[in-house]
Amino acid sequence: MNKKLRFSMLSVLMMLCGSMFADETVIWQENWDSSAAGTKVEEVTNANATYTGDNGGYVKLYENSSDKTNLELLIPKSSRNVSFSAEITLNGATSMKLTFDINKNVNLTSTTSGAKLTKVSNTEYDITVPSGTNKLILTFAMGSDSNARLDNIKMVASDGGGGQEDNNFTGQTVENIAAFNALAADTEARLTLTNAVVLYVNEYNNTKEIFVRDASGAALDIYEMGINATAGQVLNGSLVGKRSVRNGFIYAMVKGGTYTDGFNVTMTNGSEPEALDLGIDEVAGYYCDYVVVKNAEITSDKKKAVVDGDELLLYDRFKLSLVNDLKADGTKYDFYGLMYDGGATYGAELVVTKVTLAGGGDIVDDPATPVANVEALLGLESPSTNLELTLTDAQVLIVDNNYIYVRENGKAICFYQVNAVKEVVKKNSILNGKINVDYEVYKLLPEVKTNKNTTADNLTVTDGDDAVPTETTLANVAAGNNVCDLVTLKATLVKEVKTSDGGNTSTTYYLQDGDTKIVVVNNGMGLDKIEEGTEITVVGIANTNNNAHQIKLFKKVEDTTGISNLNVENAGNGQLFNVAGQRVSGSYKGIVIANGKKFVVK
């Protein structure tokens, strides 16, 4: 079922019952009683919408007075993969909050340009749109196990802030960011924000970080607290958070439980945030702040900026890939970003958010280097940047978190953290087309990486049949001949059990064939149930770890001995040997060889 609803939100100022949102202009707000069963509506028609219900779900859309427009949405468990689309007239609103009544996974997507959807929880979404946007198209999608009703919808004008003031918090209050940053780690406090400027907003993997600076001269990262600010806006109000140092940034982090969403912040539009113009010898200590290092060259490995012999590490923490294509030929650049504490190992680092030519000139990209196929890519120097890779009937072998293994014409490669590809493919997908990427062999693993020009716009993705594993040998895998490929082979299982000082045990699994021995990652595929010394058939990805080749299993293991539960008395009167050819006594447990035949002794 895929129906479209169109409705207009009336420009009505309504205040929340219960928690008050400070200085907000609420364009439209409605709550529904989620306990009410409601009545299925086969068809509703008025000036705003037409809907015909099926599969047991219903939508009610009607005007019950001159100042309200109601939308009810219920998807019962009997429906299968139900989807509704809604086109919303915003009437000046720039943010929206949708809440569903039970803890089921309700997925929202939007085709409106510039719209940002933040999934706060399984039942709550925050949505922001660029100023001036009049229409928002949303798609509600729920799986077969869902039974959820849209419980609350709220639309807020651009001068609104958000959050709930937590009057139950009895801890200390600090007056500015500098005082908050001086607190001991994990201290909870109410932070007063006075004309705090939003320096940068990072949204990645469903997390949101807002970097702010106030008149105290200090900055911090407000991490996942539900504040929908944009760079350049000015924040006033307060928030209850926990002072933490995490991943090299100072954070104000929301505390779970009682004080969740403990903030009362208003936002007003301001000018573009100003970057502090600092020398490399000055940046240490300005953590979380927005700075610019001017007239700097980049080193050939693209890892450092250099000014008059002083060096500053560059860190692509936000995966923007802004430095990969810069030229290490004496060209001078201005590097903008957020200061990061790399600790004793790295020291001060700059998380790069923008690069210009020295003095502010735009950087003109060189044309991408065409690469005909995966085999040609594997023949390039590592690292190579700004490549236009052509894929022809390339098959996705496995999607393993951030690793996507792809085979084309017998040659395989790993797409690492290429989110543009991850969002459109699945196991066995067939890829055709072109994609702009970088390439690097990292600890023996040939990796395709994202850059600032990487999109999936020029890729065609279709479903494919199950990938067929490449038959190979352990020696080939150990030599790197099958790296990134889905392979199958036979070898003997070897287990190495270690006991820590605390008495905990861990098992490392190996495959052995003659003198060749490599690690095999169980991945829940049954190695723990098979006796050591058994010859097994495995199916998995030939990958690497710590500069060594290994296999990670992706199919349940097959025991190829065909022998089980035989008594040693059946082994005959000859001498006994294990699978390594060593002579053993009659008390030996496991696979033994006697008179040229294999037996299992238990």
Side-chain angles (χ1 to χ4, degrees):
M1 178 165 63
N2 192 347
K3 305 295 182 182
K4 176 162 285 191
L5 309 178
R6 288 182 171 83
F7 56 96
S8 297
M9 301 302 182
L10 305 178
S11 299
V12 178
L13 178 64
M14 301 180 66
M15 303 307 295
L16 276 170
C17 298
S19 299
M20 192 69 70
F21 286 73
D23 299 328
E24 288 185 337
T25 300
V26 180
I27 295 295
W28 189 78
Q29 161 88 13
E30 186 58 278
N31 297 283
W32 295 281
D33 180 3
S34 61
S35 63
T39 303
K40 177 182 175 182
V41 179
E42 294 293 344
E43 185 171 2
V44 175
T45 304
N46 64 14
N48 293 324
T50 299
Y51 170 74
T52 302
D54 56 14
N55 290 344
Y58 73 82
V59 167
K60 295 175 70 175
L61 181 64
Y62 57 89
E63 294 182 33
N64 63 350
S65 70
S66 62
D67 63 353
K68 292 183 180 179
T69 299
N70 290 345
L71 167 68
E72 290 191 54
L73 168 65
L74 173 66
I75 309 300
K77 291 181 180 179
S78 59
S79 299
R80 296 286 178 176
N81 299 318
V82 181
S83 176
F84 294 92
S85 291
E87 182 179 285
I88 304 170
T89 300
L90 297 176
N91 287 335
T94 57
S95 68
M96 179 183 303
K97 183 182 289 289
L98 299 178
T99 307
F100 295 84
D101 66 331
I102 59 175
N103 191 25
K104 291 290 185 180
N105 209 356
V106 181
N107 292 314
L108 292 187
T109 57
S110 175
T111 57
T112 301
S113 178
K116 302 289 186 182
L117 277 64
T118 302
K119 188 172 184 178
V120 180
S121 68
N122 280 349
T123 61
E124 186 175 342
Y125 275 85
D126 286 338
I127 305 168
T128 59
V129 294
S131 178
T133 304
N134 191 43
K135 296 285 186 181
L136 174 68
I137 298 177
L138 293 175
T139 297
F140 305 74
M142 282 167 267
S144 59
D145 65 340
S146 298
N147 186 349
R149 183 197 302 269
L150 182 63
D151 199 38
N152 178 281
I153 186 170
K154 175 185 176 185
M155 301 173 64
V156 182
S158 60
D159 63 345
Q164 293 177 274
E165 180 69 38
D166 193 337
N167 295 318
N168 296 322
F169 181 72
T170 58
Q172 62 181 307
T173 296
V174 294
E175 297 305 316
N176 54 49
I177 293 175
F180 187 86
N181 290 354
L183 297 173
D186 297 327
T187 300
E188 295 163 10
R190 186 185 301 280
L191 168 62
T192 301
L193 294 173
T194 304
N195 295 328
V197 177
V198 179
L199 305 171
Y200 187 81
V201 177
N202 174 50
E203 295 184 70
Y204 180 71
N205 279 353
N206 295 320
T207 64
K208 191 166 189 175
E209 305 173 77
I210 299 174
F211 295 85
V212 298
R213 178 206 300 146
D214 68 6
S216 70
L220 86 162
D221 181 354
I222 302 174
Y223 183 78
E224 282 199 312
M225 294 191 72
I227 300 176
N228 288 315
T230 57
Q233 288 190 315
V234 179
L235 308 185
N236 283 279
S238 67
L239 59 86
V240 176
K242 180 170 63 175
R243 192 271 194 195
S244 178
V245 177
R246 180 174 178 269
N247 295 334
F249 286 131
I250 299 173
Y251 285 75
M253 300 180 68
V254 64
K255 177 183 181 296
T258 306
Y259 306 117
T260 299
D261 295 331
F263 66 88
N264 181 357
V265 177
T266 62
M267 295 176 286
T268 56
N269 292 329
S271 57
E272 182 177 348
E274 180 182 357
L276 301 179
D277 186 354
L278 300 174
I280 289 178
D281 59 340
E282 300 174 303
V283 294
Y286 284 87
Y287 300 119
C288 293
D289 216 335
Y290 183 51
V291 307
V292 56
V293 174
K294 294 183 176 180
N295 297 307
E297 298 179 24
I298 193 167
T299 55
S300 59
D301 61 4
K302 312 298 175 71
K303 294 182 178 180
K304 297 176 183 177
V306 183
V307 179
D308 296 331
D310 292 329
E311 296 182 339
L312 175 64
L313 280 171
L314 305 176
Y315 181 18
D316 189 21
R317 182 178 182 272
F318 299 152
K319 307 302 179 186
L320 301 177
S321 301
L322 298 176
V323 302
N324 294 353
D325 298 331
L326 300 184
K327 298 177 180 179
D329 60 357
T331 302
K332 294 192 175 182
Y333 302 97
D334 293 343
F335 291 93
Y336 293 80
L338 301 160
M339 288 310 305
Y340 182 94
D341 185 2
T345 302
Y346 300 105
E349 299 179 79
L350 181 66
V351 176
V352 181
T353 61
K354 184 175 75 170
V355 184
T356 67
L357 292 175
D362 292 334
I363 298 172
V364 179
D365 292 337
D366 291 333
T369 301
V371 181
N373 48 45
V374 169
E375 183 176 13
L377 184 75
L378 292 171
L380 295 179
E381 179 182 353
S382 171
S384 295
T385 60
N386 194 22
L387 309 172
E388 186 182 63
L389 172 63
T390 298
L391 296 173
T392 304
D393 293 333
Q395 183 166 28
V396 175
L397 303 171
I398 293 290
V399 178
D400 185 22
N401 295 318
N402 287 322
Y403 297 85
I404 303 172
Y405 296 93
V406 175
R407 179 203 292 153
E408 180 193 58
N409 196 27
K411 302 295 182 180
I413 200 77
C414 169
F415 282 73
Y416 176 64
Q417 288 190 338
V418 184
N419 290 324
V421 172
K422 185 177 180 180
E423 290 171 358
V424 298
V425 306
K426 59 185 178 180
K427 181 181 177 182
N428 298 323
S429 292
I430 304 298
L431 310 181
N432 284 280
K434 300 178 185 294
I435 184 169
N436 193 293
V437 293
D438 294 340
Y439 169 70
E440 179 182 11
V441 178
Y442 180 74
K443 295 185 177 180
L444 302 182
L445 191 71
E447 294 180 345
V448 174
K449 295 186 175 182
T450 191
N451 62 37
K452 63 182 179 180
N453 299 315
T454 301
T455 72
D457 295 346
N458 296 317
L459 281 182
T460 300
V461 181
T462 56
D463 292 340
D465 297 330
D466 290 346
V468 178
T470 300
E471 293 188 11
T472 189
T473 64
L474 197 65
N476 276 333
V477 172
N481 297 333
N482 300 105
V483 66
C484 293
D485 201 1
L486 180 70
V487 301
T488 182
L489 57 85
K490 293 180 181 180
T492 300
L493 177 64
V494 177
K495 300 182 181 182
E496 183 179 287
V497 180
K498 293 183 179 180
T499 303
S500 68
D501 293 338
N504 296 320
T505 61
S506 61
T507 302
T508 302
Y509 300 94
Y510 296 91
L511 293 175
Q512 185 166 352
D513 185 4
D515 295 332
T516 304
K517 179 179 175 183
I518 67 170
V519 170
V520 57
V521 181
N522 189 13
N523 199 27
M525 294 297 138
L527 292 180
D528 50 321
K529 302 293 193 299
I530 297 179
E531 292 192 40
E532 181 177 17
T534 304
E535 185 182 57
I536 57 177
T537 297
V538 298
V539 176
I541 290 291
N543 61 8
T544 66
N545 184 47
N546 293 327
N547 283 311
H549 293 283
Q550 64 175 28
I551 295 178
K552 185 173 183 179
L553 300 189
F554 284 95
K555 184 178 179 181
K556 286 289 185 181
V557 178
E558 298 178 19
D559 178 346
T560 62
T561 63
I563 305 171
S564 61
N565 300 325
L566 297 181
N567 192 290
V568 70
E569 293 179 358
N570 297 325
N573 296 321
Q575 294 178 330
L576 304 179
F577 300 88
N578 63 19
V579 293
Q582 300 166 323
R583 185 174 177 178
V584 296
S585 68
S587 61
Y588 179 83
K589 304 297 184 182
I591 294 180
V592 298
I593 300 172
N595 298 328
K597 296 182 179 180
K598 289 183 179 178
F599 299 86
V600 174
V601 180
K602 294 190 175 182

